[in-house]
Amino acid sequence: AQSVSQHNHHVILSEAASLELGCNYSYGGTVNLFWYVQYPGQHLQLLLKYFSGDPLVKGIKGFEAEFIKSKFSFNLRKPSVQWSDTAEYFCALVSTGGGNKLTFGTGTQLKVEL
Amino acid sequence: GAGVSQSPSNKVTEKGKDVELRCDPISGHTALYWYRQSLGQGLEFLIYFQGNSAPDKSGLPSDRFSAERTGGSVSTLTIQRTQQEDSAVYLCASSSFRDTQYFGPGTRLTVL
């Protein structure tokens, strides 16, 4: 069975600081990878996704993530965070052999301080 | 265009009662999913419908949970004889075949 691990449960940063949120997965086959974001009081929204091709993917609001197959990782990065990035971030995967159901990590709560 | 909608947004019920939660997917999406978000368990898959295929029910936690999808569109998740541990936010998502899932706002269920 597949699983997703997010190492940081709570992260506090000052505005303009750089962000990197860790995500590792466990699955022996091909996966599609996602980062979703949940802003306070809002529903889950797609931030970015990796299906195939260039392992460096860019998403909305200046976020990017790099798929490193050898490390089973899909870390999320942003060079300079803003107060409006305060949210909960979820890494998730779909295994291509297991239907299209998402397996989520436990989430990282990011707080950006002014 | 319109996103995934869910109703009700909040539901408070007494232990032992049955509840029905509704999901309207994005028009044209062939796949529909139910997930549950709770403090103790995070985000968990419940059930998945794809076109006319038999649903994948592998995530349903007990036989008190069931779901149907009528006419390939609207779906209803039913929880019978609710228990306090069923309290959670129930999320619906839809997608095109094997594509990105888009989520609705959820239904917050509180079982007293």
Side-chain angles (χ1 to χ4, degrees):
Chain A
Q2 59 262 33
S3 65
V4 178
S5 298
Q6 293 182 242
H7 319 299
N8 317 100
H9 298 294
H10 292 89
V11 173
I12 301 174
L13 294 173
S14 299
E15 266 204 329
S18 64
L19 170 71
E20 181 160 4
L21 300 182
C23 173
N24 286 87
Y25 68 92
S26 173
Y27 183 70
T30 303
V31 295
N32 296 332
L33 293 158
F34 305 82
W35 277 96
Y36 282 87
V37 60
Q38 191 168 30
Y39 297 103
Q42 297 187 28
H43 59 278
L44 276 169
Q45 301 172 41
L46 180 70
L47 205 52
L48 49 78
K49 63 185 179 183
Y50 172 79
F51 278 20
S52 64
D54 189 343
L56 183 63
V57 292
K58 295 189 184 300
I60 59 171
K61 304 186 180 185
F63 287 91
E64 65 179 31
E66 185 175 13
F67 171 53
I68 304 179
K69 189 174 181 179
S70 61
K71 295 185 177 180
F72 297 90
S73 71
F74 191 56
N75 292 353
L76 181 70
R77 300 193 292 249
K78 185 172 184 179
S80 176
V81 295
Q82 300 175 308
W83 177 79
S84 58
D85 293 325
T86 295
E88 190 159 18
Y89 293 80
F90 295 92
C91 183
L93 71 78
V94 163
S95 62
T96 54
N100 203 38
K101 52 193 178 188
L102 285 162
T103 299
F104 285 91
T106 51
T108 297
Q109 188 71 243
L110 171 66
K111 181 179 180 182
V112 180
E113 296 179 330
L114 295 171
Chain B
V4 177
S5 61
Q6 293 185 245
S7 60
S9 54
N10 281 284
K11 176 72 177 178
V12 180
T13 190
E14 294 179 347
K15 178 181 171 181
K17 300 282 190 184
D18 297 352
V19 295
E20 287 189 350
L21 313 179
R22 177 187 168 105
C23 173
D24 281 273
I26 292 171
S27 177
H29 279 183
T30 56
L32 186 148
Y33 316 77
W34 285 97
Y35 295 86
R36 180 168 71 173
Q37 186 174 22
S38 57
L39 280 176
Q41 302 297 323
L43 275 155
E44 322 169 78
F45 164 78
L46 296 176
I47 187 169
Y48 158 44
F49 297 87
Q50 172 57 57
N52 295 322
S53 302
D56 178 345
K57 304 179 183 180
S58 59
L60 294 179
S62 79
D63 59 8
R64 296 186 295 104
F65 288 71
S66 63
E68 63 177 21
R69 188 179 185 193
T70 52
S73 182
V74 171
S75 176
T76 302
L77 177 69
T78 301
I79 309 173
Q80 295 180 308
R81 305 181 302 282
T82 52
Q83 304 294 311
Q84 288 182 331
E85 62 262 28
D86 299 335
S87 295
V89 177
Y90 289 82
L91 299 173
C92 178
S94 71
S95 76
S96 299
F97 181 64
R98 290 193 173 273
D99 205 342
T100 303
Q101 295 175 39
Y102 295 91
F103 284 81
T107 293
R108 182 175 297 277
L109 175 65
T110 304
V111 182
L112 302 176

